[in-house]
Amino acid sequence: GLDGASMRIVKALIALWLILDFAVRLGAALDGPLLILSFVVLGGALVVTFGYLVKLKQGDLDAVVGAVFGYLLVALVWALLYYHIERVSPGAFHGLPPDDSSGAFLYFSLVTITTLGYGDIYPVAPIAQIVSGFEAAIGTMYVAILIGSIVGGIQGLRKRDASR
């Protein structure tokens, strides 16, 4: 886990991120700083979730549920990042519904992180293409590390039981 000082920094960054997001939705011209802060929050979410996976010593149900929740959290943060990319660079994604629904970005993020790729929504701006490529790579690595951690934990339990 995070120590007290790190946790306060995380809480402050998330609070600032939410405040900036709310201000942008009300019409404030803070899209650039919000996009940068979105990258920082995404990076933090990745560090915490990958750190959790790497430290996973046992493949029990709680660990799997926590890892799946982390996976979905990363997808959600990525969806918010896509939303802000589209705000900064309108038209960065092709195939978005006309109602500017941020739910479309969650859908796109889940399709991207799982590397499913239906192709109904796709990135056209270079920044959107690069970021979505990173999400697909991170999603693949996440699943590989998750499975490796679970298998390693199960094998560790078997070795421990066999030595008894």
Side-chain angles (χ1 to χ4, degrees), residues 71-147:
Y71 188 71
L72 295 174
L73 174 67
V74 168
L76 176 63
V77 172
W78 229 292
L80 292 170
L81 179 61
Y82 292 137
Y83 173 80
H84 295 300
I85 288 173
E86 179 67 24
R87 286 189 53 87
V88 169
S89 180
F93 295 89
H94 177 76
L96 292 173
D99 65 351
D100 190 33
S101 168
S102 55
F105 293 107
L106 180 56
Y107 163 77
F108 175 75
S109 178
L110 289 168
V111 167
T112 302
I113 200 167
T114 60
T115 68
L116 182 60
Y118 285 126
D120 51 345
I121 299 174
Y122 56 90
V124 291
I127 185 70
Q129 292 170 335
I130 291 168
V131 170
S132 61
F134 275 124
E135 182 182 16
I138 293 293
T140 302
M141 288 187 326
Y142 192 102
V143 171
I145 292 171
L146 172 63
I147 292 170

Side-chain angles (χ1 to χ4, degrees), residues 5-78:
S6 297
M7 188 55 87
R8 283 191 294 278
I9 291 170
V10 167
K11 287 178 181 178
L13 282 174
I14 291 175
L16 178 60
W17 187 47
L18 292 171
I19 291 167
L20 279 177
D21 183 65
F22 186 69
V24 164
R25 290 173 192 259
L26 291 177
L30 298 169
D31 288 313
L34 184 56
L35 183 59
I36 292 167
L37 190 55
S38 295
F39 275 111
V40 171
V41 170
L42 175 62
L46 289 173
V47 166
V48 169
T49 54
F50 274 111
Y52 173 78
L53 286 177
V54 170
K55 292 177 185 175
L56 191 64
K57 301 216 186 308
Q58 211 173 335
D60 63 1
L61 182 60
D62 287 341
V64 173
V65 169
V68 169
F69 178 76
Y71 188 71
L72 295 174
L73 174 67
V74 168
L76 176 63
V77 172
W78 229 292

